[in-house]
Amino acid sequence: MSIMRKIVLGYVIMIFIPVIAFGYHYYTQIYGNLTQQFVESRQKILEQAYANMKTDFARIQSVHRVLQYNPYLTDYLDGVYDSDADSVYALTRYILPLYSQSMFANPEIESIVIYKMKDRVLPITNLFRDRSMLDPQTEAAVSSLKAGQGIWLRADPNVSEPDLIYYQYIYNTQITERIGLLEIRVSNSLIRNFYAAAGVEGNWKAALMSGQGNLLTNEAAGLDHKTLSLLHEEGRDFFIDRTTIVNQLKLEPLDVRVIITAQVGEVFRSVKQKELVLVTIIVLLLLTLSIAYYLLASTITKRILRLARHMRTLNDDNLRVLTIQSGKFEKDEIGFLIGAYNSMVRRMDELINNVHRAELRNKEAAYQVLQAQIKPHFLYNTLETIRMVAEANNDKEVADISFWFGKLMRYSLTSAQQETVLAKEIEMVDFYMSIHKMRLQSRLTYEIKVDLDAGRLACPRFLLQPLIENSIVHGASAVLRPVHIRLHASETEEEVTIDVTDNGNGIAPDRLLELRDRLSRHDEFKKEDEPVGVGLKNVNERVKGYFGAESRLEIISAPGKGTSLRIVIVKRTVMDVEDTDRRRRAFDSERVS
């Protein structure tokens, strides 16, 4: 299959089909989430409207407390007043203002009536009525009410916006005897305000359902049997049944459920129209982009195919370059690739022609390497000759220093490896310190203490020598008094610590801060940096590079008390035993040679 067909097929399989499938899935998910969030928000609005209505109920019910705890009203209903004149005076002077105040504070109230329980109470038609005028069904509904309890009834149970009536008994001052039944008639504006707060307008409809699941009004005749059955299920306060949005909430004071419904098509009509426009735009855009992609891909693949055909004809006898047609694509990425390919072909031709000269240069380089190996061996043999002559002349100091120096030179020059073990490093430090001890005599003493298996800890070569040299140059050589240098290697479960400590003059605070700052930076060495700074930074970088970024070199110093250079090595996986033995055999072979 050609690359052009692969690009087209790849576009269809990897871009076109996934984009269409993902777009459809994403749209359905977004639409589902949108409708779900919409229904949930409608339910919250309904709950908030119900909370406001309960506040209105509590405000209206507070009229009972005002009347119950008014002594003139309770005395009036209890028949305390002996004459009609006293009753009329108490009524006009103390009771009627309570009525007026309650009606003014609660504009929803249409009337306030009290049905008196005692015959000797003076009846007033508009305010106080005889108990016999109470409807028998209403009397049966309120007969079981206890002190402090009230009940809300609907004046007409067959409409969705009925007038509401509140009943509660009024007791005597000792709350031992019923002396009246309070009736507060509220207009249907309370229910209308509730529906308006719940968003029942336009396409939204409201209906009432009894606690037994029977519709109390005829406005919800559009609900099918499946929707009605879903309304009876527990825990389904809101849902979408195919084309119908349903929210419901129980109105506890009225012992009914309010059902608010709307048609999905009518609510999301604008969304559906925008959906069609959006799908059309996406299809047209995808087709346009597909054509543009095809044209662009063809301009690229043609030149790639031409380059591939030329590469198939390339061999040792045919190293001709690919000609580039001048045009607007000459300097783009593929033109750059073809130019680089032609340069490579020319370079291959040059390499093939010069292969024999390269072989001769390699042979010459190998000869120079053999020559360079002669020089260290000549140096070792010379030092060994000096040591043998010194021993023959019984000059032990010259013999020792020749031996130590020879060991150091062999360690420095013979091994091509950059890795060793800590035991070998400490051995070379011992030779190095012995030479300086021979030079400084009593002005220098040193101590080496190793509290770990140094033969199993791999480390870079010449890790400790710069630290020892720093202690000698800036510790022992800088003062006239005797200086003691101590090397101590120890380990814990987490890390290995190597301390090189001297009791010289120490480092000035500003100089110490400068050195620590130089160790913390990762910039390159500069020519103006002092040798000590370069040496310590080199050790620090080698420690971090070999043992990990958590390992480090620390400088601890105080003026007049000396300096401590500490290498902290965070432990890593223990080396393989075979690898350790291989390194030891390599060191032994170096020592023998």
Side-chain angles (χ1 to χ4, degrees):
M1 184 182 293
S2 65
I3 188 171
M4 191 67 182
R5 293 180 179 178
K6 289 181 180 179
I7 290 178
V8 174
L9 182 61
Y11 170 78
V12 173
I13 295 176
M14 300 179 63
I15 298 178
F16 185 81
I17 295 178
V19 166
I20 296 298
F22 176 77
Y24 176 76
H25 176 72
Y26 183 74
Y27 171 76
T28 55
Q29 290 292 325
I30 290 296
Y31 183 76
N33 293 336
L34 177 63
T35 55
Q36 184 68 18
Q37 292 176 4
F38 179 78
V39 177
E40 291 178 358
S41 65
R42 292 287 306 184
Q43 186 68 23
K44 292 180 180 179
I45 294 174
L46 180 60
E47 293 173 355
Q48 183 62 41
Y50 177 53
N52 296 336
M53 188 174 70
K54 287 197 296 184
T55 302
D56 294 335
F57 280 157
R59 174 170 49 81
I60 295 172
Q61 291 172 193
S62 66
V63 174
H64 172 269
R65 289 194 296 273
V66 173
L67 300 176
Q68 173 68 61
Y69 293 106
N70 185 277
Y72 299 99
L73 179 64
T74 55
D75 289 345
Y76 182 89
L77 294 175
D78 203 13
V80 174
Y81 300 109
D82 296 331
S83 64
D84 292 345
D86 293 336
S87 298
V88 172
Y89 177 77
L91 177 65
T92 57
R93 179 71 176 82
Y94 299 107
I95 298 175
L96 288 180
L98 292 179
Y99 275 69
S100 300
Q101 180 183 358
S102 300
M103 295 286 288
F104 179 77
N106 302 279
E108 303 92 346
I109 297 178
E110 291 183 344
S111 64
I112 299 176
V113 177
I114 298 178
Y115 293 92
K116 63 186 183 65
M117 300 295 180
K118 295 184 178 182
D119 296 334
R120 63 178 179 269
V121 178
L122 179 66
I124 298 177
T125 305
N126 294 333
L127 302 178
F128 297 95
R129 297 177 183 176
D130 191 80
R131 184 176 182 180
S132 61
M133 300 178 64
L134 188 63
D135 182 68
Q137 294 182 355
T138 302
E139 186 174 7
V142 301
S143 60
S144 61
L145 293 177
K146 298 179 181 180
Q149 289 184 341
I151 186 172
W152 285 90
L153 300 178
R154 287 170 285 115
D156 186 357
N158 295 322
V159 296
S160 60
E161 298 178 359
D163 292 343
L164 302 179
I165 308 174
Y166 179 73
Y167 291 97
Q168 188 171 357
Y169 283 106
I170 296 178
Y171 288 77
N172 58 8
T173 55
Q174 290 79 26
I175 314 299
T176 58
E177 182 184 5
R178 294 176 177 176
I179 60 176
L181 178 63
L182 173 64
E183 177 189 271
I184 303 176
R185 187 174 293 272
V186 181
S187 66
N188 61 0
S189 61
L190 188 66
I191 293 294
R192 288 201 304 270
N193 293 336
F194 167 72
Y195 286 156
V200 180
E201 58 183 6
N203 298 322
W204 293 89
K205 298 180 180 180
L208 297 179
M209 179 179 288
S210 66
Q212 292 74 27
N214 300 320
L215 289 174
L216 303 178
T217 56
N218 297 324
E219 286 83 349
L223 297 177
D224 56 17
H225 295 289
K226 183 177 180 181
T227 304
L228 291 175
S229 63
L230 292 175
L231 286 172
H232 297 157
E233 294 184 6
E234 296 291 336
R236 295 185 67 89
D237 292 336
F238 56 90
F239 57 89
I240 298 180
D241 179 26
R242 294 196 302 271
T243 60
T244 306
I245 300 174
V246 179
N247 292 89
Q248 63 172 334
L249 185 67
K250 185 174 183 180
L251 305 181
E252 297 288 348
L254 303 179
D255 192 25
V256 295
R257 280 190 293 170
V258 59
I259 312 298
I260 299 178
T261 60
Q263 298 300 313
V264 175
E266 296 178 356
V267 174
F268 294 99
R269 182 178 302 171
S270 61
V271 176
K272 289 292 185 180
Q273 294 175 351
K274 293 180 180 179
E275 169 192 347
L276 181 60
V277 175
L278 179 63
V279 171
T280 304
I281 292 175
I282 291 177
V283 172
L284 293 177
L285 181 61
L286 190 57
L287 290 176
T288 303
L289 292 177
S290 301
I291 296 174
Y293 176 84
Y294 177 80
L295 295 176
L296 178 62
S298 62
T299 59
I300 297 175
T301 53
K302 287 180 180 179
R303 291 186 292 162
I304 293 178
L305 292 174
R306 184 165 174 263
L307 177 61
R309 287 194 297 269
H310 185 274
M311 293 178 67
R312 292 191 186 99
T313 62
L314 203 65
N315 53 48
D316 293 343
D317 298 329
N318 180 18
L319 292 178
R320 59 183 178 85
V321 297
L322 176 63
T323 57
I324 303 176
Q325 296 179 357
S326 60
K328 58 182 178 179
F329 298 115
E330 183 179 359
K331 295 183 179 180
D332 62 358
E333 286 77 5
I334 298 180
F336 174 79
L337 179 63
I338 295 175
Y341 168 75
N342 289 335
S343 299
M344 182 187 68
V345 171
R346 297 188 188 95
R347 182 59 179 165
M348 289 174 59
D349 189 24
E350 293 177 1
L351 291 175
I352 292 175
N353 292 331
N354 296 332
V355 64
H356 298 293
R357 284 178 290 176
E359 291 179 356
L360 292 176
R361 286 196 297 269
N362 290 335
K363 292 180 180 180
E364 183 179 356
Y367 175 74
Q368 291 178 354
V369 169
L370 292 175
Q371 259 191 334
Q373 291 180 350
I374 297 175
K375 298 177 182 178
H377 283 288
F378 177 75
L379 178 61
Y380 304 149
N381 293 336
T382 303
L383 290 173
E384 183 65 18
T385 302
I386 294 174
R387 186 181 68 81
M388 293 175 61
V389 172
E391 288 183 351
N393 295 332
N394 200 21
D395 194 343
K396 188 175 183 309
E397 292 181 351
V398 176
D400 289 342
I401 199 169
S402 299
F403 175 75
W404 297 331
F405 185 65
K407 287 287 186 179
L408 287 174
M409 295 302 296
R410 188 181 299 273
Y411 182 73
S412 302
L413 301 178
T414 55
S415 178
Q417 297 180 355
Q418 297 300 319
E419 188 178 280
T420 182
V421 292
L422 184 60
K424 189 69 176 179
E425 275 290 292
I426 294 176
E427 181 184 4
M428 293 301 104
V429 166
D430 192 12
F431 292 151
Y432 186 80
M433 292 293 292
S434 298
I435 294 175
H436 283 283
K437 171 67 177 176
M438 186 73 69
R439 179 175 66 87
L440 298 176
Q441 298 298 324
S442 61
R443 288 179 54 202
L444 175 65
T445 59
Y446 69 92
E447 172 189 2
I448 298 177
K449 184 178 180 180
V450 181
D451 293 332
L452 52 85
D453 187 2
R456 294 185 60 84
L457 179 61
C459 66
R461 288 163 56 87
F462 293 103
L463 182 66
L464 302 179
Q465 188 271 340
L467 306 184
I468 297 296
E469 181 179 359
N470 184 80
S471 296
I472 292 175
V473 173
H474 297 276
S477 299
V479 296
L480 298 178
R481 57 181 173 82
V483 173
H484 181 74
I485 298 177
R486 185 172 186 266
L487 187 149
H488 182 209
S490 60
E491 68 174 337
T492 62
E493 293 183 358
E494 294 81 13
E495 60 187 22
V496 174
T497 304
I498 304 173
D499 289 306
V500 177
T501 308
D502 66 75
N503 59 348
N505 286 335
I507 304 174
D510 54 346
R511 176 59 176 161
L512 181 61
L513 291 175
E514 181 183 353
L515 289 175
R516 288 175 176 172
D517 179 65
R518 186 174 299 175
L519 291 181
S520 64
R521 296 198 306 264
H522 295 282
D523 50 358
E524 298 180 354
F525 302 129
K526 299 178 181 179
K527 294 181 179 181
E528 59 270 16
D529 288 343
E530 297 182 9
V532 58
V534 174
L536 297 181
K537 186 173 180 64
N538 180 274
V539 172
N540 183 56
E541 294 297 330
R542 294 177 67 199
V543 168
K544 288 181 177 293
Y546 188 84
F547 295 105
E550 295 181 357
S551 302
R552 60 199 178 275
L553 172 65
E554 298 178 352
I555 304 176
I556 304 170
S557 181
K561 296 183 179 180
T563 302
S564 176
L565 304 176
R566 174 175 295 174
I567 295 177
V568 179
I569 301 172
V570 178
K571 288 186 175 180
R572 58 180 181 177
T573 305
V574 180
M575 290 189 306
D576 185 79
V577 176
E578 295 181 359
D579 186 52
T580 303
D581 294 340
R582 184 173 64 254
R583 289 196 177 107
R584 286 180 175 174
R585 288 195 298 270
F587 292 132
D588 292 340
S589 63
E590 292 176 11
R591 189 178 296 110
V592 171
S593 60

